[in-house]
Amino acid sequence: MTNSTFSTTRSTGTAAETFYNRKGNCLAISNLFIAAARHLGLEASYKTLSVRPTWEQAGLTLIRYEHIIAIGKLDSVMIMSSTFYRN
């Protein structure tokens, strides 16, 4: 299933920024998912996934990228957000 409303990017934002800009990385999309779910009174939390991390160097700083999703429960159905950033 593809969601064409939001585009992926490397930038992390708050739930409000992600909603307004209609783009974000996996953490930003998860922030929005959790904020919306909790606003509706649903349980929601973050979950890291086991994926091979990617690395980037910015000056003298090494940056490690991993993947995170948001999960929640609606009645007896488990729901989740997910997006992958691809270069």
Side-chain angles (χ1 to χ4, degrees):
M1 183 172 169
T2 303
N3 183 343
S4 61
T5 305
F6 288 85
S7 61
T8 58
T9 180
R10 286 193 176 203
S11 64
T12 300
T14 65
E17 291 167 340
T18 304
F19 181 79
Y20 178 78
N21 295 323
R22 298 290 194 262
K23 63 182 177 180
N25 62 11
C26 59
L27 180 56
I29 299 294
S30 296
N31 288 338
L32 177 57
F33 179 97
I34 288 176
R38 290 180 178 169
H39 177 75
L40 295 172
L42 305 173
E43 293 181 30
S45 60
Y46 295 94
K47 179 166 179 57
T48 56
L49 297 182
S50 295
V51 296
R52 186 176 189 176
T54 58
W55 297 85
E56 184 176 299
Q57 185 171 355
L60 297 175
T61 304
L62 285 176
I63 303 167
R64 179 180 167 151
Y65 295 100
E66 296 187 61
H67 191 61
I68 192 164
I69 63 170
I71 58 172
K73 196 170 186 181
L74 178 61
D75 294 326
S76 62
V77 177
M78 197 63 116
I79 51 177
M80 69 179 191
S81 73
S82 182
T83 185
F84 281 95
Y85 176 81
R86 300 273 189 240
N87 285 336

